[in-house]
Amino acid sequence: AHDAPLSPAAGLGFVSLVGAGPGDPGLLTLKARARLMHAQVVVYDRLAVQSLPCDLPAAVELHAVGKEAGHHPLPQEEINALLVRLGREGKRVVRFKGGDPYVFGRGGEEAMALHDAGVPFEVVPGPTSGVAAAAYAGIPISQRRESVRLTLVTAHEAVKKKGPQVRWDLIAPDAHDTLVGYMGLTSLGEVVHQLLAAGMDPETPAAMIERATTAAQRLVRAPVRDLPGAVEAAGIGPPALFIIGRVVRHADTLDWFARRPLFGQRLGLFAPGGELADALSLAGAELLEPPAPLTPAARVVMAVAPITGWIFRSADEVDLLEEERDTPGFGAELTAWCLTDEATARARELGWPHVERIDDQPAALVAAIGAHPQG
């Protein structure tokens, strides 16, 4: 049953520290999804939102404790206290964190708080953003004869007033290391300064990746000495991380993600999506597949980033989404892709600004959306 206790400890709940992965909802692990679907409470970060299952049961209690650069609505100590309180109340809790809980996610602090309070917990790893971002940018993060070491750092260590814990002087001269910097946007200039001052070749290939693995992914590449200027010129925003090393040069050849025909499209399709969903995903779309009627989790996921189009198979589906059009995620540029005459007529009747009647065959649907200008 949904509310059955998971922990053998009498009177105590159970907390799962779950990694959401880097943003692509398809990278959520099977174990992570199972824990979410059987949770009573989900405590989630901003960077984990896109990976929330849209079919999460409506009875699940959702707590947003999102953090952004320079803005922490709920201090870490209060998040720790919330997890302890929920566990002591006997709840089955998922603490849903972007990437992996133990890779610059402060999951260790939360686990320690739970341990000290006597609350049973587990850790469910997720793909860490640095490794996944490289893969989606066409960068083989370790490549034989080029990179024999991988260094993951939290880049804002470069600007700590008490001095960095990162030994930039040891990293800089190592030509066979791949350096990945998390939270690296605001401190990039100082990182590059320290690396160059410590002897890094200024021509070393480098990249900054914004919103990796999602429809909003952007990549800027330049020699390391020029990367801060290139990032500023491109207007790259958080969340973003940098990769510095020889392996970055392979991005031109191996950039499989951004070359797919529907890259950049964030599309909605009511479940079950079937063959259409498979075709859209394989073509590179970031696909939302919520149930009808919409769940609270689906609304949270839909609002996190602009939706570029919605595929309608019936007039009833158009009616189901009509009241959502004034909510975040639904902009004026969204296209209603209608697979039937009835859906087309209803969308036009309700005043959807961009309505397209298209064939319901997967290949035709992909071709039509891919040929349609975005924005």
Side-chain angles (χ1 to χ4, degrees):
H2 183 70
D3 58 353
L6 184 65
S7 167
L12 286 176
F14 191 88
V15 179
S16 300
L17 304 175
V18 174
D24 180 346
L27 296 179
L28 190 67
T29 69
L30 293 173
K31 189 169 187 176
R33 177 176 168 82
R35 292 295 185 263
L36 286 161
M37 297 305 289
H38 291 91
Q40 293 169 295
V41 185
V42 175
V43 178
Y44 64 91
D45 280 344
R46 180 180 60 93
L47 294 181
V49 171
Q50 281 182 255
S51 296
L52 264 180
C54 286
D55 57 345
L56 197 69
V60 176
E61 189 179 315
L62 298 174
H63 289 265
V65 293
K67 300 177 184 177
E68 303 180 51
H71 181 55
H72 295 183
L74 196 64
Q76 185 62 51
E77 293 75 15
E78 293 186 28
I79 295 173
N80 296 349
L82 174 63
L83 296 176
V84 168
R85 176 176 65 79
L86 291 169
R88 285 177 168 168
E89 289 174 357
K91 302 287 182 61
R92 190 157 57 212
V93 182
V94 166
R95 172 70 172 107
F96 200 42
K97 305 172 69 66
D100 181 274
Y102 278 4
V103 181
F104 304 125
R106 305 186 77 166
E109 296 174 40
E110 295 170 357
M112 190 63 70
L114 292 165
H115 170 271
D116 291 347
V119 176
F121 70 94
E122 68 175 350
V123 179
V124 181
T128 186
S129 301
V131 175
Y136 273 58
I139 300 170
I141 206 161
S142 67
Q143 183 80 342
R144 192 159 58 99
R145 299 192 181 95
E146 292 181 33
S147 174
V148 297
R149 280 172 293 280
L150 172 63
T151 302
L152 307 179
V153 301
T154 171
H156 57 57
E157 282 292 323
V159 295
K160 287 285 183 71
K161 291 181 179 179
K162 294 183 179 179
Q165 299 179 60
V166 177
R167 291 291 302 275
W168 304 109
D169 59 319
L170 298 180
I171 294 170
D174 189 349
H176 295 283
D177 182 44
T178 300
L179 175 63
V180 178
Y182 290 66
M183 298 162 280
L185 193 59
T186 57
S187 56
L188 178 63
E190 181 61 24
V191 169
V192 170
H193 170 75
Q194 295 203 32
L195 290 172
L196 295 179
M200 177 172 278
D201 182 349
E203 292 296 324
T204 302
M208 180 70 82
I209 309 169
E210 175 187 350
R211 298 187 179 277
T213 79
T214 74
Q217 175 174 301
R218 291 203 295 157
L219 172 69
V220 171
R221 292 196 299 122
V224 65
R225 67 180 175 193
D226 299 328
L227 187 62
V231 167
E232 183 177 2
I236 295 294
L241 53 79
F242 62 73
I243 303 176
I244 300 173
R246 293 179 178 180
V247 293
V248 173
R249 66 187 177 88
H250 294 291
D252 274 342
T253 304
L254 302 180
D255 183 13
W256 59 273
F257 183 53
R259 290 176 181 162
R260 297 196 293 180
L262 297 187
F263 171 73
Q265 296 279 358
R266 189 169 192 250
L267 303 172
L269 171 67
F270 281 112
E275 290 185 10
L276 288 179
D278 289 342
L280 293 166
S281 180
L282 284 171
E286 179 182 322
L287 189 62
L288 307 175
E289 215 174 334
L294 294 172
T295 62
R299 289 188 169 93
V300 169
V301 174
M302 287 158 56
V304 77
I307 300 169
T308 59
W310 201 282
I311 294 115
F312 293 111
R313 293 166 293 196
S314 69
D316 288 343
E317 289 187 348
V318 179
D319 288 335
L320 278 169
L321 209 63
E322 174 62 18
E323 66 183 40
E324 308 297 329
R325 283 173 56 194
D326 293 329
T327 60
F330 287 80
E333 301 304 321
L334 186 148
T335 299
W337 299 101
C338 299
L339 308 187
T340 63
D341 291 337
E342 293 77 14
T344 306
R346 186 59 175 156
R348 288 175 175 158
E349 179 184 351
L350 292 173
W352 286 70
H354 306 285
V355 180
E356 297 285 342
R357 170 67 166 95
I358 53 175
D359 194 285
D360 64 356
Q361 295 304 304
L365 178 61
V366 168
I369 296 176
H372 192 272
Q374 292 186 51

